[in-house]
Amino acid sequence: MNRSKTTSGKAIVPILTVGVFGILNTEMGVVGLIPYVAERFGVGVPDAGLLVSMFALIVAVAGPTMPLLFSRMNRRTVMLLALGVFTACNTVAVFAPTFEVLLAARVVPAAFHPLYVSMAMAVAQQTGETAAERARNSARVFMGVSAGMVVGAPVAGVLASGVSFPVAMAFFAVVCAAALVMTVVFVPSMPVERPLSYGKQVAILKSPFVLVSLLAAGAVNAAMFGFYSYLSDYLGSAVGMAPALVSGLLLVYGIANVAGNAVAGRTLGTTPRATMVAGPLVLAVLYALLFMAGASVYAAGAVVLALGVVVGVANTCDQYMVSRSALEAPDFANGLFLTATNLGTTVGTSVCGALIAGGSTHAAVLGTFPLLALGLAATLGRLRLAPRKAAEQRAWQHVS
């Protein structure tokens, strides 16, 4: 994509942020509705959980394939296609008469999730005149990712309990529809001016720099979101917080995530190496403090607030490491990022869940340490390989 044209398209960044919020909100917001789904459709909670697990599984499979297949298509067309599918399927979900119809309305758009998100990240990371400006734009779009992942669920839960289940489902449709309308009105045609062949894009998987970046992102994400899957139960069972306090703290945690994205947007533009290394190290310290806080509500609450910020920083770093490892194939690289992080979440959830099954909820936090150690080792390996990649990256940026 031509740098001058993307620079003149800075107004697109807020639209992309709303768009990825709508996509991630659809994926993770339903977490707060699982009990209502079980009650409304007369299914068990594990069956209702298929709305989350099936969506994530399809995202993991579609992560590298959909962005690759559509990588040569006009960016605006891709945006309209993905947002149109999400808006239509979310509307169907509002009126779904059976659980099977609701599940189908979740399965279909999941395939278009990595298509939109990877494209949005690729456009953002190419919008700006300097490395610092491009990093900030990427972080701004990633704010939509973080907000969708951790803010959508409590908002949907409040709507379901305070109004109705269909209204909560309509929340997902309205956000996606808003992004669709803004795209129709404000986003110009965005053709891909230097499309790569599918073979050249897939060839990035031969690069050790790309592979170690994916490992670092997957491992750190496994620690963060593997434990986050049990955070609500941890705060209630291990710490002893009241349900209302847990809900409020999770909402604050989500807002802190978005703040962490903003912090990373600045530090990655000025001190990227230190930011990437600091992420897993500071996370390890905070998880240790949370474990030591035990049943102290105030201490645990303070640590969770700090975790929210640092998780936002580390999550942005994960995307930065992968996207900057293959600038020549940004859509495909970002699709691989989504696959790595979704698989990481699956692994992390299993590790922390096994510790709970073998001990107690308090033990769940211990599962983060080996995963963070792996993530740190991979990050350091990436930094060692960086000089070999630097000349190639500079040459690509120069001709872009």
Side-chain angles (χ1 to χ4, degrees), residues 153-366:
V155 171
V158 168
L159 289 174
S161 62
V163 188
S164 69
F165 175 79
V167 169
M169 296 301 294
F171 169 56
F172 306 146
V174 168
V175 176
C176 290
L180 177 62
V181 171
M182 286 190 290
T183 302
V184 170
V185 175
F186 297 109
V187 177
S189 177
M190 299 168 60
V192 179
E193 297 184 2
R194 297 177 62 225
L196 287 180
S197 67
Y198 297 145
K200 288 184 178 180
Q201 293 184 70
V202 174
I204 69 173
L205 288 171
K206 298 178 181 178
S207 168
F209 192 66
V210 172
L211 296 178
V212 76
S213 298
L214 289 169
L215 177 59
V220 174
N221 196 81
M224 296 187 298
F225 288 96
F227 178 68
Y228 176 73
S229 299
Y230 303 102
L231 181 57
S232 177
D233 185 50
Y234 185 93
L235 294 175
S237 301
V239 180
M241 290 185 180
L245 180 57
V246 171
S247 298
L249 189 57
L250 289 179
L251 181 58
V252 173
Y253 175 93
I255 296 172
N257 260 213
V258 177
N261 295 148
V263 171
R266 295 190 175 277
T267 59
L268 284 172
T270 54
T271 56
R273 294 170 65 91
T275 304
M276 286 186 281
V277 173
L281 285 176
V282 177
L283 281 172
V285 172
L286 290 174
Y287 284 128
L289 291 174
L290 182 61
F291 183 79
M292 291 186 290
S296 174
V297 172
Y298 293 108
V303 174
V304 169
L305 177 59
L307 269 172
V309 176
V310 180
V311 164
V313 172
N315 208 15
T316 307
C317 285
D318 289 346
Q319 192 274 332
Y320 177 92
M321 286 192 290
V322 175
S323 65
R324 305 299 292 182
S325 68
L327 294 176
E328 67 275 22
D331 294 60
F332 185 52
N334 284 314
L336 291 172
F337 162 76
L338 294 172
T339 296
T341 52
N342 274 273
L343 291 177
T345 298
T346 301
V347 171
T349 301
S350 299
V351 170
C352 294
L355 288 170
I356 293 174
S360 66
T361 304
H362 191 216
V365 71
L366 298 177

